[in-house]
Amino acid sequence: MKTRKPFKPVGSSFDSWLAEQGEEFKAEVIAGAMKREFVMKLRAMMKDQSIGVNALQRMLGTGPSQVQRLLDPDDISISLKSIAKLLAVLGMTGQIALEPKRSKKKVA
């Protein structure tokens, strides 16, 4: 039976590649990831509470385009005020958390 060699990655890590792209690009990537996570949680909560898009629109007292922006994982331009209003009408709370980046150092 053949023994497999341990996998050795070729090239740089995603983090180092991202750092090479510049701060503005890095900020866009981070914002996109945050928005996708927010939308996934929002949609799951809406499903759990049986709240449809039309009901959410009525609750917010806004038009369909605003609700679509809230639910669009690629639209990172929504304001904190819009998110706060959404949380308020849904009876939820939220927070912005700052966490140090996890180290990928191997532990012996």
Side-chain angles (χ1 to χ4, degrees):
M1 178 178 216
K2 260 188 170 174
T3 306
R4 288 187 166 176
K5 292 180 184 177
F7 174 74
K8 273 191 163 180
V10 178
S12 61
S13 69
F14 178 71
D15 286 336
S16 62
W17 175 83
L18 192 58
E20 291 170 6
Q21 304 309 306
E23 293 303 316
E24 190 170 325
F25 181 78
K26 188 175 179 180
E28 290 281 326
V29 171
I30 292 169
M34 292 170 70
K35 178 69 186 289
R36 281 187 291 283
E37 182 178 1
F38 174 78
V39 170
M40 286 187 333
K41 288 180 180 182
L42 174 60
R43 287 187 182 272
M45 187 274 320
M46 288 172 63
K47 185 177 180 181
D48 290 346
Q49 294 186 17
S50 300
I51 299 172
V53 174
N54 291 334
L56 186 59
Q57 179 183 328
R58 284 189 301 274
M59 293 167 77
L60 290 169
T62 189
S65 60
Q66 175 65 19
V67 173
Q68 289 307 316
R69 280 193 297 274
L70 286 169
L71 296 173
D72 181 356
D74 295 323
D75 187 345
I76 58 172
S77 65
I78 67 168
S79 69
L80 288 174
K81 188 175 180 179
S82 295
I83 294 171
K85 183 177 179 182
L86 173 66
L87 294 174
V89 300
L90 295 173
M92 303 191 74
T93 62
Q95 64 183 5
I96 296 175
L98 302 174
E99 300 172 4
K101 202 167 193 180
R102 293 185 191 121
S103 175
K104 292 187 178 182
K105 293 179 184 176
K106 291 182 180 179
V107 178

